[in-house]
Amino acid sequence: MRRALIVVLPLFALATLMVAGPGCQSRNGGAGGTSADIQTLMKERNLSEDDVVAALKTYTPSGVHDEYYIFASGGHSGQVIVIGAPSMRILKYIAVFTPEPWQGYGYGDQTTTLLRSGDRDGKELNWADTHHPALSETGGDYDGQYLFINDKANARVAVISLRDFTTKQIVYSNLLRSDHGATFVTPDTDYVVEGGQYPVPLGGEYAPIEDFQEKYRSAVLFWKFDRDKGRIVPEKSFAIELPPYMQDLADAGKLASDGWVFLNSFDTEMAYGGNAEGRPPLESGASQNDMDYLHVINWRQAEKVVADGKFETIAGTRVIRLPTAIAEGLLHFVGEPKSPHGVDVTPDGRELVVAGKLDTHATVYSFDKIKALIDAKKYAGTDPFGVPILPFEESIRGQAEIGLGPLHTQFDDAGNAYTSLFIESAAAKWSLKDLKVIEKIPVHYNIGHILAAEGDTIHPDGRYLVAMNKWALDRFSDVGPLLPQNFQLIDIAGDKMQLLADLPIPLGEPHYSQMIKADKIKAITAYTPVGIDPITDEPDPFRVVGGQEGIERKADGVHVRMTAVRSHFTPDTVRVKKDDVVHLHITNVEQAEDATHGFSIAEYNINLSLEPGEHANVTFKADRSGVFPFYCTEFCSALHLEMAGYLLVEP
Ligand code: CUK
Ligand code: CUA
């Protein structure tokens, strides 16, 4: 009740509040309360009425939960940032591609195995350039079960379960060296789409850059997702080879366009740089053509082509080669204005909005028209590889004059689109119906992606928009030359957009985020039964229950079966000999919410987070003799400091 009130409180209610007098007590019981008090506070803090309204729309009292979750890319941190909206409170960082000490991610056996499974050909990778998170969907709506995210830098895709907000799997194919049109899911999450970005010889071989057109290629991967298992199944996945254009963003068709995927490209000039070798720099070489190509891909038909065996296996991935893709009618191109960036399918699936960085328009393509042209084989020509190109003018419904540097588009529930304007530092609201701008709101500064509540579903909420700004300039207190990014929450429920709040993002450049209704997330508070390995979601074979603790010397080393419970580890004295291989098996046997214990050993780089019911294994060589205290790193109880013990390594 109170929450609803805060969110919908219009300006006249503010006036009521301000004259409400002593009945309207501040929650803190401090000053503030009477109209005069509020006026004084506003004056002291230099707040306008709009500021106060924004505060009332976002202020979330202690103990009150947010209505939405935002799952944001953590950029270079290789993590996912979980944010509550409208409060814009950061709730969690989910460790994905990088070691993360608080979660013990990359410090115990299970999480290290998972993290290292993302090492490409054994090369240790400890960072990622996460770009596009994608929530799992059922029937085109977010279902709150899983989250996927890509690593542009190393062409990897991760699976996160929203049951425990934990990464479960990292996959990659040596087909690609970088990705960008990732991750996007098909409407029932049959596939997680990963489109490549910078072409390389498929499969990772060397080829001279002068052979760019002949030997370099791109590809789009369709990772098959098994929802029951909650894992991607690489053997059931496939790819389609694409020409060596720089592939950009993607989106999956839905409803009217279900079964199709759309992918942007730039550098259809196939420029590859060389500004110190007498060739034009990549940026100008790649900006010669007036049109690049929107890739229109029939994935449902591609699935059949793979089932019919019309593929080659390259680098372990089933690949539909380019000539097959053309012959089977899986791939068509449509022109798109110069250096496009975002492609976004409308909620009804009938249209696609493409915005070009170097064009002031958003182009609205009609899927019906595209489909009719494909069916009629009405082509304007072919590209150098023989891919049929559909006539541009006959594929579009029109173009909306939006502004400078349009990038990405989101939608509301009332037929409006919202497009980010990078150069203009604004978000434009425009009508899909008549392709006219209705309103612009300035943002600070240089907005990249934009996200709307339930914005990529067939039922956007029309409540909030977040501008994900690249530059923050004068917005926050100075922190040296490297500035945070700035997420700005915008209310789009009313007739006029209102900027509500800023959230500085202090690690990495996030690219995209999605916002989901909080009541769709059903997270657990403990692993049950006690002894679960969070990576496999199964009871760990080494789990320890109370009474079965002990230390045992076996052929492969010393096995320590340990339990953690407030406020002790059992056993708390561990004796080994120098150079013993030690296997720690530790179970947090608690089931109480938030009863997490940590476990660390001095100088051994061992650091675990043991959430209630969690089991972790750590294998290490006791290669330095001495006395090493171990202790619990979470302040779990009044006797937390006493939750400690000794590892005694005898010389
Ligand atoms: S991209 Cu970053 S602003 Cu990687 Cu989705 Cu457009
Ligand atoms: Cu357990 Cu502190």
Side-chain angles (χ1 to χ4, degrees):
M1 181 63 210
R2 178 183 54 204
R3 256 197 292 168
L5 185 76
I6 286 173
V7 171
V8 299
L9 204 67
L11 198 56
F12 65 79
L14 172 69
T16 316
L17 178 82
M18 287 160 62
V19 296
C24 179
Q25 284 288 322
S26 152
R27 193 164 300 272
N28 310 326
T34 67
S35 163
D37 290 337
I38 290 173
Q39 300 281 6
T40 309
L41 263 174
M42 285 172 66
K43 214 164 160 202
E44 275 173 14
R45 299 209 62 220
N46 198 18
L47 299 177
S48 68
E49 276 196 5
D50 275 353
D51 293 335
V52 176
V53 172
L56 289 174
K57 285 180 174 177
T58 54
Y59 174 68
T60 306
S62 179
V64 176
H65 295 194
D66 277 299
E67 259 189 287
Y68 290 91
Y69 284 89
I70 295 171
F71 290 94
S73 143
H76 312 60
S77 77
Q79 302 170 356
V80 165
I81 310 170
V82 187
I83 301 159
S87 73
M88 300 306 270
R89 298 179 295 199
I90 292 180
L91 301 173
K92 193 170 200 174
Y93 295 106
I94 304 174
V96 185
F97 293 110
T98 15
E100 200 290 307
W102 171 53
Q103 290 156 71
Y105 189 79
Y107 300 87
D109 290 355
Q110 295 104 318
T111 54
T112 301
T113 303
L114 172 65
L115 188 60
R116 300 280 71 103
S117 72
D119 290 349
R120 297 196 47 160
D121 293 336
K123 180 75 183 169
E124 194 170 296
L125 299 173
N126 286 321
W127 83 287
D129 188 10
T130 55
H131 271 235
H132 306 109
L135 288 155
S136 58
E137 295 180 11
T138 301
D141 278 313
Y142 301 149
D143 55 37
Q145 292 184 0
Y146 295 94
L147 183 76
F148 309 92
I149 192 158
N150 72 311
D151 165 20
K152 165 171 161 160
N154 304 294
R156 298 182 292 173
V157 167
V159 180
I160 297 159
S161 168
L162 297 180
R163 211 175 142 260
D164 58 356
F165 285 53
T166 295
T167 303
K168 304 294 176 179
Q169 188 183 23
I170 298 172
V171 296
Y172 65 87
S173 163
N174 276 335
L175 216 49
L176 299 176
R177 280 266 155 84
S178 59
D179 68 29
H180 196 236
T183 52
F184 296 89
V185 297
T186 54
D188 282 308
T189 323
D190 294 309
Y191 290 98
V192 181
V193 178
E194 183 192 19
Q197 181 138 65
Y198 305 113
V200 290
L202 284 191
E205 296 303 309
Y206 173 80
I209 198 149
E210 289 74 15
D211 296 347
F212 194 87
Q213 182 163 342
E214 197 188 321
K215 300 230 172 96
Y216 288 38
R217 288 292 179 270
S218 195
V220 56
L221 271 143
F222 293 84
W223 292 104
K224 179 72 188 164
F225 185 63
D226 181 332
R227 190 188 289 266
D228 294 335
K229 295 206 173 71
R231 301 293 183 277
I232 281 170
V233 188
E235 314 79 63
K236 292 190 177 165
S237 306
F238 67 92
I240 301 175
E241 179 185 8
L242 300 174
Y245 309 139
M246 293 185 180
Q247 313 297 344
D248 208 32
L249 283 195
D251 202 359
K254 51 187 115 169
L255 298 176
S257 52
D258 188 14
W260 297 75
V261 156
F262 309 97
L263 192 73
N264 275 343
S265 62
F266 60 98
D267 193 24
T268 48
E269 299 83 351
M270 293 180 278
Y272 48 85
N275 51 5
E277 298 180 6
R279 292 187 301 273
L282 183 55
E283 69 198 86
S284 63
S287 307
Q288 299 305 306
N289 295 347
D290 282 337
M291 288 280 187
D292 290 294
Y293 299 130
L294 172 69
H295 294 39
V296 180
I297 297 166
N298 187 339
W299 67 259
R300 195 158 276 141
Q301 187 59 30
E303 210 178 24
K304 295 202 184 91
V305 168
V306 172
D308 289 345
K310 295 176 194 163
F311 63 84
E312 279 175 39
T313 300
I314 304 175
T317 301
R318 301 185 297 176
V319 184
I320 302 174
R321 301 305 301 261
L322 188 50
T324 311
I326 297 166
E328 298 286 336
L330 307 181
L331 177 64
H332 292 82
F333 289 163
V334 193
E336 48 188 8
K338 228 177 174 59
S339 299
H341 189 50
V343 50
D344 296 282
V345 178
T346 54
D348 61 9
R350 304 183 61 140
E351 297 188 312
L352 299 94
V353 178
V354 171
K357 300 163 296 214
L358 304 180
D359 185 62
T360 55
H361 297 93
T363 305
V364 180
Y365 294 79
S366 155
F367 181 71
D368 282 349
K369 290 185 178 185
I370 288 175
K371 185 72 180 27
L373 291 166
I374 290 173
D375 290 344
K377 295 192 175 359
K378 190 162 180 214
Y379 307 142
T382 56
D383 85 332
F385 301 89
V387 182
I389 304 168
L390 307 176
F392 173 72
E393 292 293 343
E394 292 172 51
S395 303
I396 68 170
R397 172 160 67 88
Q399 292 185 298
E401 176 79 46
I402 305 280
L404 300 178
L407 295 182
H408 299 285
T409 300
Q410 289 275 281
F411 307 96
D412 67 12
D413 56 343
N416 299 308
Y418 300 80
T419 299
S420 55
L421 296 169
F422 177 82
I423 297 173
E424 214 173 303
S425 286
K429 172 182 179 179
W430 52 283
S431 157
L432 274 172
K433 192 157 160 273
D434 54 20
L435 308 184
K436 291 271 187 306
V437 170
I438 298 165
E439 190 195 351
K440 282 186 188 176
I441 186 166
V443 294
H444 310 281
Y445 301 89
N446 298 84
I447 177 173
H449 270 276
I450 201 166
L451 72 112
E454 302 267 327
D456 288 307
T457 71
I458 61 173
H459 298 112
D461 273 0
R463 287 284 300 283
Y464 298 110
L465 199 67
V466 176
M468 302 176 67
N469 305 321
K470 307 290 187 192
W471 289 47
L473 294 186
D474 53 19
R475 293 294 99 177
F476 307 109
S477 306
D478 293 339
V479 290
L482 180 62
L483 269 58
Q485 318 285 308
N486 186 11
F487 283 12
Q488 291 191 300
L489 182 72
I490 297 165
D491 183 354
I492 56 167
D495 286 342
K496 262 187 82 56
M497 292 189 277
Q498 188 192 0
L499 183 62
L500 298 180
D502 282 20
L503 169 66
I505 298 291
L507 99 168
E509 182 186 291
H511 286 258
Y512 192 44
S513 308
Q514 287 186 329
M515 192 193 286
I516 179 175
K517 281 288 263 191
D519 59 13
K520 290 186 179 176
I521 305 284
K522 309 270 184 258
I524 56 169
T525 56
Y527 292 103
T528 314
V530 157
I532 299 287
D533 168 356
I535 308 304
T536 61
D537 296 313
E538 301 285 339
D540 191 278
F542 292 102
R543 69 190 182 280
V544 187
V545 295
Q548 293 184 353
E549 299 93 341
I551 303 176
E552 201 179 341
R553 186 170 287 276
K554 291 186 181 169
D556 65 345
V558 179
H559 287 259
V560 180
R561 294 190 309 276
M562 186 183 280
T563 54
V565 69
R566 278 164 287 171
S567 303
H568 53 269
F569 297 107
T570 308
D572 61 5
T573 307
V574 176
R575 298 169 194 274
V576 299
K577 299 206 162 46
K578 185 169 184 294
D579 293 332
D580 273 344
V581 173
V582 182
H583 305 268
L584 293 175
H585 310 294
I586 315 177
T587 305
N588 177 351
V589 295
E590 307 219 32
Q591 289 285 282
E593 181 173 359
D594 212 3
T596 293
H597 299 288
F599 178 87
S600 72
I601 306 179
E603 293 181 43
Y604 272 98
N605 200 36
I606 288 169
N607 165 50
L608 302 172
S609 172
L610 299 155
E611 286 124 54
E614 177 171 346
H615 177 87
N617 299 309
V618 194
T619 307
F620 66 100
K621 193 171 180 204
D623 53 6
R624 36 175 64 192
S625 61
V627 174
F628 302 92
F630 58 80
Y631 71 94
C632 169
T633 53
E634 289 274 340
F635 211 116
C636 53
S637 60
L639 294 174
H640 152 77
L641 292 171
E642 289 80 352
M643 193 165 174
Y646 285 99
L647 169 71
L648 303 163
V649 184
E650 295 172 27

